[in-house]
Amino acid sequence: MTEKVDPVDLAQRLIRCKSVTPSDDGALDALQDVLENLGFICHRRTFKDSASPPIDNLYARLGVNEPNFCFAGHTDVVPIGDPNKWTVDPFGGEIINGKIFGRGATDMKSAIACFVAAVSDFIRERGKNFSGSLSLIITGDEEGPSINGTRKMLNWMKESGETINDCIVGEPTNPNNLG
């Protein structure tokens, strides 16, 4: 039976990675380990060009059939700014009054952890014998120049014959719409 993924524990593990763009600091390794234990096939791709630093990215897929339902997100975060203005360790993943604090808690390491936990529950309830596929595209430069992440991953996927039928983006921020 598939082990249950605790979303709080996984979110804390991801927050504790100092993944300020372009650094990954082990965030994708931690995520890949959990996903592979759930049965996902993982593909890591590092993209670079002369205008920006190399960025590590992850595509993980469970199943081979369509439809392929995908979750897209990122593990990189913005710099912490003045460390003296933080009242908690920005990479501590500390829980205070039932809330997780740290860089990436909202945008968007907790969203990734919740999706992975939901997938683990789905597998535990339904097994791995379902008619479609589940996948994740997790990039490392959404908070940076956004050159060596999503676009290049989508190009690689197209060249590799990977098709996504539906995708949810776990990004919690939008300057124009809420909800």
Side-chain angles (χ1 to χ4, degrees), residues 20 24 32 43 53 56 71 73 75 83 88 96 105 116 150 157 168 178:
V20 176
D24 173 66
Q32 181 173 343
H43 303 273
D56 199 15
F71 177 91
T75 54
V88 297
I96 302 171
V116 172
T150 302
M157 290 172 63
I168 185 168
L178 181 63

Side-chain angles (χ1 to χ4, degrees), residues 9-42:
D9 176 66
L10 181 55
Q12 288 177 301
R13 288 174 50 202
L14 294 174
I15 291 166
R16 289 177 182 139
C17 297
K18 298 176 181 177
S19 55
V20 176
T21 315
S23 174
D24 173 66
D25 195 44
L28 292 181
D29 290 336
L31 185 57
Q32 181 173 343
D33 182 55
V34 172
L35 292 170
E36 286 178 341
N37 284 332
L38 292 173
F40 280 79
I41 303 299
C42 294

Side-chain angles (χ1 to χ4, degrees), residues 55-127:
I55 299 293
D56 199 15
N57 303 278
L58 171 70
Y59 175 68
R61 184 168 177 165
L62 178 66
V64 296
N65 298 321
E66 291 187 23
N68 180 2
F69 179 75
C70 183
F71 177 91
H74 63 92
T75 54
D76 63 316
V77 298
V78 297
I80 64 167
D82 182 351
N84 296 319
K85 293 188 176 181
W86 282 80
T87 58
V88 297
D89 178 351
F91 297 104
E94 189 176 347
I95 297 175
I96 302 171
N97 296 323
K99 296 178 183 174
I100 301 175
F101 288 83
R103 202 42 116 202
T106 298
D107 186 15
M108 72 178 285
K109 294 177 178 183
S110 295
I112 294 168
C114 287
F115 185 80
V116 172
V119 167
S120 79
D121 288 347
F122 176 81
I123 294 169
R124 288 169 49 84
E125 292 172 15
R126 305 250 330 250

